[in-house]
Each structure stands twice: as structure tokens, then as C-alpha cells.
Amino acid sequence: MRRDANGDGAGGGRNGRAVSDHMAKILAGTPGEGMNFHERVWAVCCAVPKGKVTTYAAIARKLGSGGAFRAVGNALNKNPYAPRVPCHRVVGSDGSLTGFAGGLPKKKQLLVAEGVAFSNGKVDLAASGWEVGERAAKRKVKGAGQGKLF
């Protein structure tokens, strides 16, 4: 088990509960060996920064399963770690709000609160879309950030 500097579990565990190293990798946005498809989806989702979104299809492509956008949606539907795994930051390829257990009005409320731009009722992907390389480039992670999510 790991703890962060505040004594919370890595990724912000509550009441000092520690989380496993495996879960810490998911929360750090690091898909890797030993993770099943759902866990890799959740890890990519965790990498999407506040105020940005990605798409189901983009996550599928990132994981090397280009046509598996429905499987990505299924994994997010089974996300037991919300809101720590921010599945509300995943939208349809055209920016439409789709599939959220809390309802689409709640999904929009969360995105608006994070500063995501909307145009004509859809997320403005040009303004709020996220690319894999954005975060990795800032941290200079070797081998990360290759390829756009859009």
C-alpha cells in the first residue's frame, strides 16, 4: 500500500485509507502491464486534465483497439472509482454528451464547473479537447505523448 504526502491513499484516499500500487497506477493515469481492458480505460480517463475532455473512440485508439469505443463506454459504465476516475470527461466523437450514470444534466454541470467550453449544446472539442502529449510533454515522460487522441 502507498500513501501520499498528506497521509491519504495515493490519489486522494479518504480518511487515511491507503490504496494498492495497482490502483495508484490507475489514478496516476498510467495504463500498463497487469491491467485488464477496463483498468486501462480508467487509467487513460484519469490522465484527462480538469477542464478538458476526450472521446470514447480516442481512448479506444490510444489503447490499440480502434473500433472498441463501445467497450470503452462499457468500462466507464462499470467505473467503481468515480469521481476519482473522472468518466464525465469522456464525450461522443462529435462532442455530444452521452452515457453518464448521474444523468446528462449532471455530466454537463460537472464539465461546465471545470471550464469545458460548449457550442450549440455540445462540447467544443477545438477548445476543450485533450491530446495524449499535453500532460506527458510537461512532465517529460520518456515515450509518452505519442499521437493525438482526436
Side-chain angles (χ1 to χ4, degrees), residues 3 45 70 78 128 130-131:
R3 294 190 181 276
C45 193
R70 287 190 179 133
K78 294 177 176 27
S128 296
W130 175 73
E131 296 180 23

mmCIF file of all heavy atoms in Angstrom, residues 3 45 70 78 128 130-131:
data_model
loop_
_atom_site.group_PDB
_atom_site.id
_atom_site.type_symbol
_atom_site.label_atom_id
_atom_site.label_comp_id
_atom_site.label_asym_id
_atom_site.label_seq_id
_atom_site.Cartn_x
_atom_site.Cartn_y
_atom_site.Cartn_z
ATOM 1 N N ARG A 3 0.958 5.659 0.422
ATOM 2 C CA ARG A 3 0.309 6.862 0.941
ATOM 3 C C ARG A 3 0.981 8.066 0.301
ATOM 4 O O ARG A 3 2.172 8.047 0.056
ATOM 5 C CB ARG A 3 0.419 6.935 2.457
ATOM 6 C CG ARG A 3 -0.347 5.831 3.138
ATOM 7 C CD ARG A 3 -0.417 6.090 4.643
ATOM 8 N NE ARG A 3 -1.134 5.024 5.271
ATOM 9 C CZ ARG A 3 -2.445 4.945 5.361
ATOM 10 N NH1 ARG A 3 -3.196 5.869 4.834
ATOM 11 N NH2 ARG A 3 -3.033 3.938 5.947
ATOM 12 N N CYS A 45 -8.528 7.605 -18.631
ATOM 13 C CA CYS A 45 -9.514 8.590 -18.181
ATOM 14 C C CYS A 45 -8.925 9.473 -17.069
ATOM 15 O O CYS A 45 -9.147 10.688 -17.059
ATOM 16 C CB CYS A 45 -10.764 7.858 -17.713
ATOM 17 S SG CYS A 45 -12.187 8.913 -17.484
ATOM 18 N N ARG A 70 -17.369 1.258 -28.018
ATOM 19 C CA ARG A 70 -18.472 0.781 -27.157
ATOM 20 C C ARG A 70 -17.926 0.061 -25.930
ATOM 21 O O ARG A 70 -18.492 0.160 -24.844
ATOM 22 C CB ARG A 70 -19.415 -0.108 -27.948
ATOM 23 C CG ARG A 70 -20.269 0.675 -28.904
ATOM 24 C CD ARG A 70 -21.357 -0.175 -29.517
ATOM 25 N NE ARG A 70 -22.170 0.618 -30.398
ATOM 26 C CZ ARG A 70 -22.529 0.269 -31.617
ATOM 27 N NH1 ARG A 70 -22.141 -0.891 -32.108
ATOM 28 N NH2 ARG A 70 -23.273 1.061 -32.346
ATOM 29 N N LYS A 78 -18.993 0.819 -15.805
ATOM 30 C CA LYS A 78 -18.695 -0.050 -14.657
ATOM 31 C C LYS A 78 -17.616 0.553 -13.751
ATOM 32 O O LYS A 78 -17.047 -0.134 -12.921
ATOM 33 C CB LYS A 78 -18.281 -1.423 -15.156
ATOM 34 C CG LYS A 78 -19.415 -2.160 -15.846
ATOM 35 C CD LYS A 78 -18.971 -3.485 -16.389
ATOM 36 C CE LYS A 78 -20.075 -4.306 -17.004
ATOM 37 N NZ LYS A 78 -21.204 -3.632 -17.540
ATOM 38 N N SER A 128 -11.769 22.480 -25.964
ATOM 39 C CA SER A 128 -11.646 21.699 -24.728
ATOM 40 C C SER A 128 -11.163 20.267 -24.943
ATOM 41 O O SER A 128 -11.113 19.483 -24.007
ATOM 42 C CB SER A 128 -12.995 21.663 -23.998
ATOM 43 O OG SER A 128 -13.356 22.956 -23.590
ATOM 44 N N TRP A 130 -8.587 17.155 -25.525
ATOM 45 C CA TRP A 130 -7.305 16.836 -24.883
ATOM 46 C C TRP A 130 -6.513 15.879 -25.749
ATOM 47 O O TRP A 130 -7.049 14.931 -26.311
ATOM 48 C CB TRP A 130 -7.566 16.212 -23.524
ATOM 49 C CG TRP A 130 -6.339 15.729 -22.824
ATOM 50 C CD1 TRP A 130 -5.387 16.498 -22.233
ATOM 51 C CD2 TRP A 130 -5.930 14.375 -22.638
ATOM 52 N NE1 TRP A 130 -4.411 15.702 -21.676
ATOM 53 C CE2 TRP A 130 -4.729 14.395 -21.916
ATOM 54 C CE3 TRP A 130 -6.465 13.153 -23.013
ATOM 55 C CZ2 TRP A 130 -4.051 13.237 -21.563
ATOM 56 C CZ3 TRP A 130 -5.787 12.008 -22.654
ATOM 57 C CH2 TRP A 130 -4.599 12.054 -21.931
ATOM 58 N N GLU A 131 -5.213 16.121 -25.846
ATOM 59 C CA GLU A 131 -4.301 15.234 -26.567
ATOM 60 C C GLU A 131 -3.422 14.511 -25.559
ATOM 61 O O GLU A 131 -3.057 15.068 -24.531
ATOM 62 C CB GLU A 131 -3.416 16.034 -27.514
ATOM 63 C CG GLU A 131 -4.183 16.721 -28.624
ATOM 64 C CD GLU A 131 -3.257 17.491 -29.543
ATOM 65 O OE1 GLU A 131 -2.058 17.167 -29.596
ATOM 66 O OE2 GLU A 131 -3.740 18.410 -30.203
#
